[in-house]
Amino acid sequence: MRKNFVEELRWRGMLAQIMPGTEELLQKEMVTAYLGTDPTADSLHIGHLCGIMMLRHLQRCGHKPIILVGGATGMIGDPSGKSQERNLLNDETLRHNQECIKAQVAKFLDFESKEENAAEMVNNYDWMKNFTFLDFAREVGKHITVNYMMAKDSVQQRLNGTARDGLSFTEFTYQLLQGYDFLYLYQHKGVKLQLGGNDQWGNMTTGTELIRRTLGNDVETFALTCPLITKSDGKKFGKTESGNIWLDPKRTTPYRFYQFWLNVSDEDAERYIKIFTSLDKETIDVLTEEHKQDPGRRVLQKRLAEEVTVMVHSREALDMAIEASNILFGKATKEALERLDEQTFLDVFDGVPQFEIEKDQLGQVASELFTTTANVFQSKREIREFLKSGALSLNKEKLASDRPITAEDLIDEKYLLVQRGKKNYYLVKIKN
């Protein structure tokens, strides 16, 4: 018997709203379902992960996932929770973004499977680009009343909210465009179910209503949403002071990615390990109990960070992230520092005091360079005391004498990492 997809989402805390009859349909037959994503960047961020994991579970339960890249709708903007419209993207940028997103999603879904439930990616720009306004008004607009559209929460919130420029006609029609996607995919791909975040419920039910009014009351389609993921303090999930946590390693290094998951609260770790990993219930229950016995070991956070980093990046990226993490708190070597790429190196030492010197200032002895030239220490006497007691390291190696610091000491040809004791770091950078 087919594994119960709805039950899988339910125990994981990934089920918000579901239309009556959805669970029965999924148990009865292989269902093709789709989820839309916005292609305005060439990478997804972790805010997209809950939806992608829904598709992953769907496919693992024997159903067929389709990910829709909103090339057309992404040019317009969705009023749910947004206060501004999006920028118009040209076709070349759109296609580039789509390919980048597909490469990321391919780590979660099987697009190459020979089974009938192989994943697919589609772009609504392909069927919307030649659809004239008159055709749209006649084929779509006539089926849904303005009263119906006005009653949607997403529209009401925007009309009654704080946005100074109100709600444009373009955005108002967004639910019809999304509704038409569902109709088109039902007709051409046999899609009977739309998945999405709970803020999309209004747009999704417009789709089921459009299909019913266009094709007749006997045609049944369904919608299912996951809750919007927040942190335990109510703040938006996935946002940090430096912005989004991206899946693209060039935008967010695997080290910073790993650190994000490692540093979530106990309460969040217990929720997130169900949502963002494929670990089964028994494994998660054991980990949760183990964590409760000794929260200080951070068992849940470590396993969560490990699973998600491997899934999004690779086992090698995880190993490098762990090694980078150990540089700050464990015994590391100069070789370990040199193995880091520049961005990871800077991420590891983000927040430590930084100083700049000219390249021609190298060659001075440590007590001169790290006091007069770069004001790392208060006085030459202080630095000599640290040298004498063995408390001073350069690039993770003990500085045994007040020797000249040369270009050969540089990490990545531009950095000197000075360390006093176990936890006090200072970064000296050569000016460009």
Side-chain angles (χ1 to χ4, degrees), residues 147 195 251 299 321 330 350 396:
N147 308 53
L195 308 174
R251 287 173 175 256
V299 170
D350 182 36
K396 284 290 179 180

Side-chain angles (χ1 to χ4, degrees), residues 320-363:
M320 194 201 73
I322 292 172
E323 184 175 37
S325 303
N326 290 336
I327 285 171
L328 269 182
F329 308 109
K331 289 182 179 177
T333 61
K334 185 180 180 183
E335 287 70 34
L337 286 179
E338 289 172 331
R339 278 198 293 272
L340 302 180
D341 62 84
E342 184 180 8
Q343 190 53 57
T344 302
F345 178 83
L346 291 173
D347 282 350
V348 170
F349 297 103
D350 182 36
V352 311
Q354 297 194 13
F355 307 86
E356 282 194 325
I357 62 170
E358 302 289 346
K359 191 159 191 175
D360 60 13
Q361 291 174 312
L362 290 169

Side-chain angles (χ1 to χ4, degrees), residues 115-345:
E115 302 297 321
E116 57 180 345
N117 72 327
E120 280 187 50
M121 176 175 269
V122 295
N123 188 331
N124 61 10
Y125 183 66
D126 293 335
W127 57 82
M128 292 303 300
K129 61 186 176 186
N130 297 320
F131 205 5
T132 68
F133 181 77
L134 290 175
D135 288 340
F136 189 78
R138 184 175 66 243
E139 293 180 31
V140 180
K142 72 175 183 181
H143 292 294
I144 303 290
T145 66
V146 170
N147 308 53
Y148 179 88
M149 294 168 71
M150 288 288 288
K152 297 292 181 183
D153 283 345
S154 56
V155 173
Q156 286 298 317
Q157 285 167 10
R158 190 66 190 277
L159 286 174
N160 302 323
T162 54
R164 285 176 298 175
D165 48 356
L167 178 71
S168 70
F169 172 76
T170 312
E171 287 183 290
F172 182 55
T173 56
Y174 186 93
Q175 60 177 292
L176 289 184
L177 290 169
Q178 188 170 330
Y180 181 72
D181 286 341
F182 201 171
L183 172 62
Y184 181 93
L185 289 172
Y186 174 82
Q187 291 175 313
H188 294 84
K189 299 279 186 184
V191 172
K192 292 184 179 179
L193 173 64
Q194 185 179 172
L195 308 174
N198 207 31
D199 58 338
Q200 293 294 313
W201 182 255
N203 295 337
M204 291 161 75
T205 52
T206 297
T208 60
E209 187 65 11
L210 177 64
I211 290 167
R212 189 182 66 78
R213 294 186 185 186
T214 305
L215 302 177
N217 290 334
D218 56 334
V219 176
E220 286 193 302
T221 49
F222 302 87
L224 181 159
T225 63
C226 63
L228 296 180
I229 311 301
T230 57
K231 294 194 281 190
S232 53
D233 60 9
K235 289 181 181 172
K236 194 168 184 180
F237 164 76
K239 286 277 190 182
T240 66
E241 286 178 17
S242 55
N244 284 320
I245 303 293
W246 298 91
L247 305 196
D248 184 340
K250 294 192 289 292
R251 287 173 175 256
T252 300
T253 61
Y255 164 77
R256 193 179 282 276
F257 185 87
Y258 174 77
Q259 286 291 322
F260 170 83
W261 299 100
L262 198 60
N263 290 312
V264 300
S265 70
D266 289 354
E267 189 182 334
D268 285 338
E270 202 171 322
R271 285 191 303 132
Y272 294 169
I273 200 163
K274 295 175 186 172
I275 297 168
F276 298 110
T277 78
S278 296
L279 296 173
D280 59 37
K281 190 173 187 304
E282 291 72 26
T283 304
I284 290 174
D285 286 346
V286 169
L287 285 166
T288 303
E289 192 51 44
E290 197 181 333
H291 183 89
K292 284 175 179 171
Q293 300 298 326
D294 186 1
R297 286 177 52 222
R298 299 178 74 75
V299 170
L300 278 178
Q301 285 92 335
K302 286 177 182 173
R303 187 63 182 272
L304 169 67
E306 177 185 319
E307 291 288 329
V308 186
T309 304
V310 169
M311 193 159 49
V312 171
H313 296 295
S314 65
R315 176 64 61 181
E316 293 72 29
L318 170 70
D319 293 341
M320 194 201 73
I322 292 172
E323 184 175 37
S325 303
N326 290 336
I327 285 171
L328 269 182
F329 308 109
K331 289 182 179 177
T333 61
K334 185 180 180 183
E335 287 70 34
L337 286 179
E338 289 172 331
R339 278 198 293 272
L340 302 180
D341 62 84
E342 184 180 8
Q343 190 53 57
T344 302
F345 178 83

